[in-house]
Amino acid sequence: MRLRQEYKPEKQRFENPFELEVDRSSNADRSGEGDNGLCNSISLIKLRQSYTALGTTECRVLELGAGCSLVGIYLCLLGAKMTVLTDQKCCVKTLKDNMAANVTGVGRSRIKVVEYCWGKSTEDLTKDGLFHLILAAECLYSADDSVLLAQCMTKLAKPGLRIFVSMGRNRGVVIMIFKCIMLLSVLMSAGQGIIIAPVVSLLKQQPEIIIVPDSCAYQVPFAALADEGGKYLSETCRIRIVPSLTTLKHVQDSPPDYHSQTGALIVGDPMVGTVIYKGRCRNMLPLPCARKEAEMIGGLLGVRPLIGDSATKYSVLQAISSVSLIHIAAHGEPERGEIVLSPMHPTLLPPFPREEEYLLTMADISKTQLRAKLVVLSCDHSARGQIRTEGVIGIARAFLRSGARSVLAARWVLDDRATEKFMTCFYKHLFRGESASESLHKARKWMRNNGFDKVSQWATFMIMGDNVTFDFGNWPVPSAPQEP
């Protein structure tokens, strides 16, 4: 079977043809040469046993982002009842050439090519029915792609469908987003399905939804879920996350006078340099927009922020227990969102600082007694963590368990400039006396309407725990902030 793919720099597809023999009788593993895209296509082909169990000859197959369509054509040759190959306009000619070169005779009536971009109407794809099997190999390139792909899949699938996706090139965050979107979107398919449909009339009457996610559903960006008309859930409702019922009870049982009413700790752009992280040297780059973000908030609240080499782990731990508002804008580590601060003695030469000298960990936070009403973690991955029975355990959860009433945290890697704009808008509303939940809701709306309409830019942050407000009347504040 000979397939070729035109070279597309923006997608890093293949420039040269390759050969693959199709074996219809054995389950022997096959391999080919090429980059990750080819390897991932072949990895899906190796799932042939699963296809056979499903009943390949009786099922309708859809390949999304087909590229050269190695997988889709392979399944057509195996005898799939109907195979539909889709991709963007630039790939349609290649798909048709490959189909014509490799599928002959009666097989031609069981395969077709349709131009399709994720997020568009699925009407043309479903004219002849929904699909039993959906495939995608090496097709995700951003968080926004993952949301659109997952949502369109649920509109194309029959009940009991199988979905196979293979991805590579260290796309851990994108894969995580895709898996989580799929988890919820599958349940929400057919007009928002079994999760939303039973309570849709109630949602129209409620300005805020409190969600207690189960297992990895915690990582679903609920704000980015859209109905069939493309309207986001967060456009009509404020959304607040509670990691578990235990956490909700813990927060609600806090005495009214427990949390501090004044004082802020503002941290931005810690000077880190070269450090040892997990046994290897890492050079942490500066975050100029995080610095501006901290300076903006410090000026608003009349508080001197800890910036650069003053944003040490020691200084943060010294001040963190007594303030009402904590804001940290820094690098975050990808597994549990633990925060990279400035070491006490940064150096250009070995030995370089180790984790215990600069990394603010869950263990560090668990040893403190916080009285903060709100903790804002403007750091990569600050909402990440290990999935346990009682939700996700990470740095954000550690702040809640140590006494914080509410935490605003990020689901994935932050866009430095977009985050600065987001926080400027968020604090503008918070400063006016609006709640943290309302401020988040309005900041999302402002971002979507002012050039930051990618999901990865406006749906990054989620609020966990209680909804809080501040009375800044007793704080030494200058004039109100301007529009971002």
Side-chain angles (χ1 to χ4, degrees), residues 271-289:
M271 187 178 77
V272 185
T274 303
V275 293
I276 301 297
Y277 177 67
K278 292 191 174 180
R280 302 181 65 180
C281 286
R282 289 279 305 273
N283 182 34
M284 299 293 182
L285 299 176
L287 297 169
C289 289

Side-chain angles (χ1 to χ4, degrees), residues 348-380:
L348 298 176
L349 299 172
F352 297 115
R354 307 191 75 83
E355 285 98 327
E356 61 269 17
E357 300 176 62
Y358 67 86
L359 193 64
L360 185 66
T361 66
M362 292 175 57
D364 294 323
I365 297 302
S366 68
K367 296 173 185 176
T368 64
Q369 188 173 14
L370 301 179
R371 295 185 179 274
K373 293 174 66 177
L374 176 65
V375 177
V376 178
L377 300 178
S378 185
C379 313
D380 298 341

Side-chain angles (χ1 to χ4, degrees), residues 118-293:
W118 312 328
K120 305 297 183 182
S121 171
T122 58
E123 192 172 319
D124 288 344
L125 295 177
T126 57
K127 285 180 179 178
D128 299 320
L130 299 175
F131 297 90
H132 303 87
L133 184 63
I134 297 179
L135 309 153
E138 190 60 21
C139 59
L140 292 181
Y141 295 84
S142 71
D144 303 287
D145 282 344
S146 72
V147 173
L148 294 173
L149 176 62
Q151 290 178 342
C152 81
M153 278 185 171
T154 60
K155 297 176 183 178
L156 295 165
K158 280 182 171 289
L161 85 157
R162 299 275 182 96
I163 294 175
F164 294 107
V165 180
S166 64
M167 290 165 276
R169 298 190 189 142
N170 298 317
R171 298 206 186 116
V173 175
V174 173
I175 293 170
M176 177 275 293
I177 296 167
F178 173 79
K179 287 180 178 178
C180 294
I181 286 285
M182 279 305 305
L183 175 69
L184 196 68
S185 293
V186 166
L187 295 176
M188 293 180 68
S189 59
Q192 294 196 346
I194 62 173
I195 290 182
I196 300 298
V199 295
V200 68
S201 60
L202 297 176
L203 293 183
K204 293 179 181 179
Q205 305 168 23
Q206 301 297 327
E208 184 176 52
I209 306 172
I210 299 175
I211 300 174
V212 184
D214 180 49
S215 186
C216 62
Y218 172 87
Q219 295 287 8
V220 172
F222 291 92
L225 295 177
D227 60 22
E228 291 184 332
K231 191 170 186 178
Y232 294 112
L233 181 62
S234 58
E235 290 186 60
T236 54
C237 301
R238 302 194 305 271
I239 300 173
R240 183 153 48 95
I241 304 297
V242 177
S244 70
L245 293 176
T246 301
T247 302
L248 178 61
K249 185 177 187 303
H250 176 74
V251 169
Q252 291 179 337
D253 286 348
S254 299
D257 59 349
Y258 174 82
H259 293 90
S260 299
Q261 299 302 310
T262 61
L265 169 64
I266 311 299
V267 180
D269 188 26
M271 187 178 77
V272 185
T274 303
V275 293
I276 301 297
Y277 177 67
K278 292 191 174 180
R280 302 181 65 180
C281 286
R282 289 279 305 273
N283 182 34
M284 299 293 182
L285 299 176
L287 297 169
C289 289
R291 179 178 291 253
K292 292 179 183 178
E293 180 182 314

Side-chain angles (χ1 to χ4, degrees), residues 14 23 48 58 60-61 63 70-71 111 119 127 159 177 230 233 277 309 359 374 379 404 407-409 433 444 482:
F14 326 121
D23 180 357
R48 176 183 159 189
E58 296 300 320
R60 289 172 48 80
V61 176
E63 185 173 10
L70 172 59
V71 188
I111 189 169
K127 285 180 179 178
I177 296 167
L233 181 62
Y277 177 67
D309 60 3
L359 193 64
L374 176 65
C379 313
V407 177
L408 186 72
R444 285 171 173 162
Q482 301 299 312

Side-chain angles (χ1 to χ4, degrees), residues 428-439 442 468-470:
K428 178 192 73 174
H429 293 286
L430 193 70
F431 178 79
R432 291 176 177 174
E434 297 177 56
S435 71
S437 179
E438 182 66 21
S439 298
K442 290 184 176 178
V468 298
T469 57
F470 288 86

